[in-house]
Amino acid sequence: MNDLVLRKIPFNFDGVEFMWNPENPAFAITLNTVTFQAIGFEIYMCRAMRDAEKYIAVPAILAEARMFTAQESVHSLAHKKHVKALVGRYPGLQKVLDESIAGFDAIYKDEDLHFHLAYAANIEATFSPLFGMFMEQRHRLFGGGDPRISALMLWHFCEEIEHRSAALDIYNHVVGKRMFRLKMLRKVFGHIVANAAQITEGFRRNMPDVPQAAYKGAFAAIPRPAMARMLLGVAASQMPWHNPAKRPVPAYYGAWRERYDSGEDMSALHDFPAPATAA
């Protein structure tokens, strides 16, 4: 079982801007999409994990499922705070959130538990390489942005790294069909990509003052080797034999956790020094 910890950080997003990182507006929009999507996605996964509990016979895996659900529930609540602050300034964004949640409600209703657990395992497996790259390149992606949004996202990403193998552990215990995950790949990623595209289109409708150019180039500043490593890692994460627990943990996760454990206020992060090796 992973060493999971339930952390409730007192985030405050009063007055937050939609374009919270003017130095990298496309990345700001990308993570705004993440924050809107995370709410419905986390609710969907929590429902699936609770449904799975009655099929889990191993106490350690049951405990892992419950802690995984607890972490994801806290993530959803934190992103709701961010969205609430944005909706307070831009009321049309409420419909964008509602549409995203409805998309996850629909797939929960239309598919069975095996699919839901495959969905969770497939998507969660991508987070170590993807969010690991975000952490490694944080000075290029978050530098110059609102430190509260940086804190929200990096906290969430660190906890995704922390429970990186939980969804797969639960899938393997309840379903145990490696090839089924692979067969569901297109449907799973088709759904989550379409949901994200719907959110982004909602931003375009409701934020007319945001130039279209701001939607492109979120990762333009990332060195090609780093992008290549991330993309290869995401592809490898979908292989039937992949085990997220065996992936190296980003150094930033350990540093972040040390700061949290020391009692530092992690609700706003200002420091994004370039790493010794940026590529």
Side-chain angles (χ1 to χ4, degrees), residues 226-255:
M227 283 296 294
R229 285 195 299 271
M230 182 272 288
L231 293 171
L232 286 171
V234 168
S237 75
Q238 301 307 300
M239 296 299 101
W241 55 82
H242 179 73
N243 183 355
K246 293 184 178 180
R247 277 197 60 86
V249 175
Y252 182 76
Y253 165 74

Side-chain angles (χ1 to χ4, degrees), residues 253-270:
Y253 165 74
W256 185 95
R257 185 164 179 167
E258 285 181 7
R259 292 169 65 181
Y260 175 86
D261 290 344
S262 74
E264 183 176 340
D265 179 7
M266 303 300 284
S267 64
L269 298 179
H270 301 265

Side-chain angles (χ1 to χ4, degrees), residues 23-211:
E23 294 187 13
N24 192 341
F27 185 67
I29 293 172
T30 295
L31 290 199
N32 286 344
T33 300
V34 168
T35 215
F36 274 74
Q37 187 173 58
I39 295 169
F41 175 62
E42 308 285 22
I43 292 169
Y44 168 63
M45 286 199 300
C46 289
R47 294 169 80 177
M49 293 299 160
R50 292 189 183 105
D51 290 345
E53 285 188 12
K54 57 180 172 287
Y55 301 106
I56 299 175
V58 177
I61 295 178
L62 181 59
E64 185 173 36
R66 288 174 174 169
M67 277 301 298
F68 173 80
T69 300
Q71 276 193 337
E72 299 293 31
S73 296
V74 172
H75 296 168
S76 182
L77 290 172
H79 286 287
K80 281 181 181 178
K81 284 186 178 181
H82 181 199
V83 170
K84 183 178 180 181
L86 288 174
V87 169
R89 302 190 68 180
Y90 315 104
L93 294 179
Q94 181 64 51
K95 185 178 180 181
V96 178
L97 174 64
D98 294 342
E99 290 173 346
S100 176
I101 293 174
F104 286 103
D105 288 344
I107 204 163
Y108 177 80
K109 180 180 177 181
D110 292 345
E111 301 291 344
D112 64 10
L113 179 60
H114 285 197
F115 175 84
H116 302 325
L117 296 180
Y119 196 122
N122 284 346
I123 297 300
E124 290 276 320
T126 69
F127 290 163
S128 287
L130 178 61
F131 297 158
M133 185 273 283
F134 286 1
M135 293 176 190
E136 178 187 80
Q137 301 294 328
R138 61 194 181 278
H139 61 296
R140 293 190 172 98
L141 298 173
F142 293 98
D146 187 320
R148 299 170 298 170
I149 305 304
S150 301
L152 167 68
M153 296 298 177
L154 288 165
W155 158 74
H156 188 167
F157 298 162
C158 282
E159 292 200 347
E160 291 297 338
I161 297 294
E162 189 169 75
H163 68 226
R164 60 196 179 280
S165 62
L168 184 59
D169 289 345
I170 296 156
Y171 173 86
N172 286 339
H173 182 78
V174 175
V175 184
K177 300 175 183 177
R178 290 187 176 187
M179 294 309 297
F180 179 75
R181 270 202 316 123
L182 193 60
K183 290 178 181 178
M184 294 300 104
L185 201 59
R186 179 174 294 183
K187 183 180 287 188
V188 167
F189 282 91
H191 179 268
I192 203 160
V193 168
N195 189 274
Q198 182 182 49
I199 293 168
T200 303
E201 183 55 35
F203 292 163
R204 293 179 191 273
R205 290 195 311 269
N206 288 280
M207 307 299 297
D209 293 338
V210 175

